[in-house]
Amino acid sequence: MADILDWTNAHLDTLDTALYEKRADEMAVRLQQETGAGKLPFLTMPYAAQLRKDLDGLKDFLRKFDHMLLLGIGGSALGARALQKAFYPRQDQPGHDGPSLWIADNVDTYALEAYLAKLPPKKTVVVTVSKSGGTIETVGQYFILKEWMKGHLGDDWHRNMLLVTDEEQGFLRGEVNEYGIRALPVPDNLGGRYSVLSAVGLIPALFLGMDVESLMAGAQEVVAPLADPGLTGDTLAGHSAFRLAVWGAALQDKGFAELIFFTYIPLWASFGDWFAQLWAESLGKEGRGSQPVPAVGVTDQHSVNQMFMDGVRNKACLFLTCPNLPAGPKFPTDLPDKFAYVRGKEFGELIQAEGLGTRMALSKSGVPLVEMRLGADSPRQAGKLIGLLGAATILCGWLMGINPLDQPAVELGKRLAKARMDAEGLAEEKADLKSFLNTDRDLREF
């Protein structure tokens, strides 16, 4: 079954999409220039062949371990978690006895102490992911796990470590060079939120036995036309990523300040969190952008959907469905009359009915909506979705006139946190910190 974007309820007739559609030639030329200069590895995936070899070479190594502890934050963790939840749900189910992936993506003392107390060091591989090698939330945990491994494994501590970082520079690359730790590179110009289909996300996927080849192939199927040196404006205009980018930019012009990512594939719920970072960190700049709002069907029908349908009319929706989810067990036939409508029907029919009802209700309430209907909930479709949304985000940023690849405001928060920890330098940040902390606070008990 094909993968489809349903534009029927996208409100294209009320949006000024022509303003952006006519820029297809300009965007095609820019794509040619940027991909030709090696600036968009998310689209060109020049690392793919070597990555396949590297991953193949890791298989025997990873088989030695029962646990993987992934140290990473933001784009270094969100994609891996989305893949884990989508394609390795049994870790969250009763009786699990296979490999286990644990993701340390926060400054969480409770979780870290639990890992140190309960994970078996000899059967655990610690994977640290940081392109720069300077992300303190991640590298700080690396310092602690390094000492933990030394305490249990002695001189062999490095054999249970794997680093994913810059190929040539940074603190973690120095650790690779000094201790001979296994390492895979994060490709140049590949930002964290675009990196799930690199070693960043595919090492944990491989550990859990996922079909990483299908993930990569699905993404390449979508993005390859955008990286074609012969790309024309006409070809780009017909590409779904460009159409989504045009829609996203035109929505903002009409005051649609929130973009709901409503997932009606339950195991894929964490893709909403992955998309939220992708869209927000890429497009939330210079007083512009639309706020991504992850939502899960049917759970959020009973909570935030009230706001979506009857609150401020500033919301649009990407609605993710798959009509071919498992059917599941059948409802009994001897149900009370008030539930007669489900007698003998398959449990899986319910989510399809709920999804249809919610989609129709949102559209009836005036919410512009594009349904992303997948032919299967498989790794290939996940790769296609990642490729589609990543490319659409880049193109939407360009149409908006902003850089979708940086995150300047995030960097300010990082510098202020380092100032709080008394890192060297940062005189301006330390002065701001002192002023902030010395301000009289309006404190009231509750």
Side-chain angles (χ1 to χ4, degrees):
M1 189 173 179
D3 305 306
I4 300 293
L5 292 184
D6 185 343
W7 293 90
T8 308
N9 300 111
H11 288 207
L12 295 177
D13 56 334
T14 64
L15 299 174
D16 189 8
T17 58
L19 174 69
Y20 297 107
E21 289 168 343
K22 67 184 182 182
R23 296 177 60 189
D25 288 339
E26 170 198 342
M27 294 292 104
V29 170
R30 184 164 183 180
L31 279 169
Q32 289 175 337
Q33 293 172 340
E34 299 273 325
T35 55
K39 295 181 179 179
L40 294 175
F42 173 78
L43 300 181
T44 57
M45 297 183 75
Y47 57 84
Q50 183 59 49
L51 178 59
R52 288 183 173 97
K53 293 179 182 178
D54 291 341
L55 292 175
D56 190 59
L58 276 181
K59 288 179 180 177
D60 289 340
F61 170 70
L62 293 178
R63 287 193 190 104
K64 297 186 294 185
F65 302 104
D66 295 334
H67 299 272
M68 175 179 286
L69 177 57
L70 175 64
L71 311 180
I73 196 168
S76 297
L78 287 168
R81 177 173 283 114
L83 294 176
Q84 176 191 27
K85 298 297 184 182
F87 301 114
Y88 199 73
R90 53 190 176 276
Q91 185 173 332
D92 296 328
Q93 296 168 352
H96 172 65
D97 61 359
S100 295
L101 171 66
W102 310 99
I103 300 177
D105 64 343
N106 205 345
V107 183
D108 182 347
T109 301
Y110 289 108
L112 184 58
E113 289 186 337
Y115 297 140
L116 296 174
K118 298 179 181 180
L119 286 176
K122 290 184 179 180
K123 301 298 289 184
T124 299
V125 57
V126 178
V127 180
T128 306
V129 182
S130 173
K131 166 68 172 172
S132 68
T135 307
I136 188 56
E137 301 91 342
T138 298
V139 176
Q141 292 185 98
Y142 167 78
F143 293 146
I144 293 169
L145 268 297
K146 178 179 175 180
E147 288 303 305
W148 179 72
M149 281 293 186
K150 282 183 176 180
H152 288 279
L153 305 183
D155 292 341
D156 289 335
W157 67 272
H158 62 285
R159 300 184 187 278
N160 287 43
M161 310 292 273
L162 179 59
L163 303 181
V164 183
T165 189
D166 189 272
E167 193 163 15
E168 296 182 355
Q169 58 188 3
F171 171 76
L172 291 180
R173 179 52 57 179
E175 292 286 280
V176 173
N177 296 336
E178 183 173 355
Y179 299 109
I181 302 172
R182 287 177 182 266
L184 266 70
V186 180
D188 290 340
N189 300 316
L190 188 66
R193 57 191 179 274
Y194 296 96
S195 69
V196 57
L197 296 183
S198 70
V200 172
L202 295 186
I203 287 176
L206 180 69
F207 174 72
L208 296 177
M210 294 176 205
D211 186 351
V212 297
E213 181 58 43
S214 289
L215 283 163
M216 295 176 71
Q220 288 178 307
E221 181 179 341
V222 171
V223 303
L226 303 176
D228 187 336
L231 178 67
T232 66
D234 286 343
T235 300
L236 180 60
H239 197 287
S240 292
F242 182 71
R243 294 195 66 194
L244 280 175
V246 167
W247 185 64
L251 283 168
Q252 294 173 52
D253 292 342
K254 286 289 187 177
F256 290 96
E258 298 182 13
L259 182 59
I260 306 160
F261 189 90
F262 221 143
T263 308
Y264 270 77
I265 307 174
L267 292 181
W268 290 36
S270 290
F271 275 102
D273 297 323
W274 168 81
F275 175 75
Q277 186 204 9
L278 174 72
W279 193 259
E281 199 166 76
S282 298
L283 305 183
K285 292 160 191 172
E286 302 174 18
R288 307 183 64 193
S290 55
Q291 177 65 47
V293 182
V296 182
V298 298
T299 303
D300 287 328
Q301 283 179 221
H302 296 265
S303 56
V304 292
N305 201 37
Q306 171 66 32
M307 176 63 77
F308 295 164
M309 293 200 295
D310 205 24
V312 180
R313 303 297 187 187
N314 67 342
K315 298 166 184 64
C317 183
L318 285 171
F319 202 94
L320 182 64
T321 68
C322 177
N324 296 314
L325 296 177
K330 289 187 177 183
F331 290 101
T333 57
D334 58 345
L335 298 177
D337 287 345
K338 69 180 294 185
F339 300 111
Y341 61 94
V342 297
R343 285 175 181 162
K345 292 181 180 176
E346 294 165 329
F347 182 67
E349 286 187 63
L350 188 55
I351 194 167
Q352 302 297 344
E354 297 273 14
L356 176 61
T358 301
R359 193 163 73 250
M360 291 176 63
L362 286 168
S363 298
K364 192 173 182 178
S365 299
V367 177
L369 182 149
V370 173
E371 181 189 3
M372 302 180 293
R373 189 187 314 143
L374 304 183
D377 58 335
S378 72
R380 188 177 188 90
Q381 272 65 36
K384 291 182 70 175
L385 184 71
I386 290 167
L388 174 68
L389 295 176
T393 301
I394 292 170
L395 289 165
C396 190
W398 288 354
L399 290 172
M400 293 167 58
I402 63 171
N403 180 0
L405 303 176
D406 66 358
Q407 52 281 334
V410 174
E411 299 306 316
L412 173 60
K414 291 179 181 179
R415 293 196 304 273
L416 289 168
K418 289 180 179 179
R420 167 62 179 80
M421 298 298 288
D422 201 24
E424 291 185 5
L426 302 171
E428 182 178 349
E429 288 80 1
K430 289 179 179 178
D432 289 344
L433 183 66
K434 182 177 180 180
S435 175
F436 182 85
L437 294 176
N438 288 337
T439 299
D440 289 336
R441 317 306 297 178
D442 183 1
L443 304 176
R444 311 180 192 197
E445 288 190 11
F446 66 93

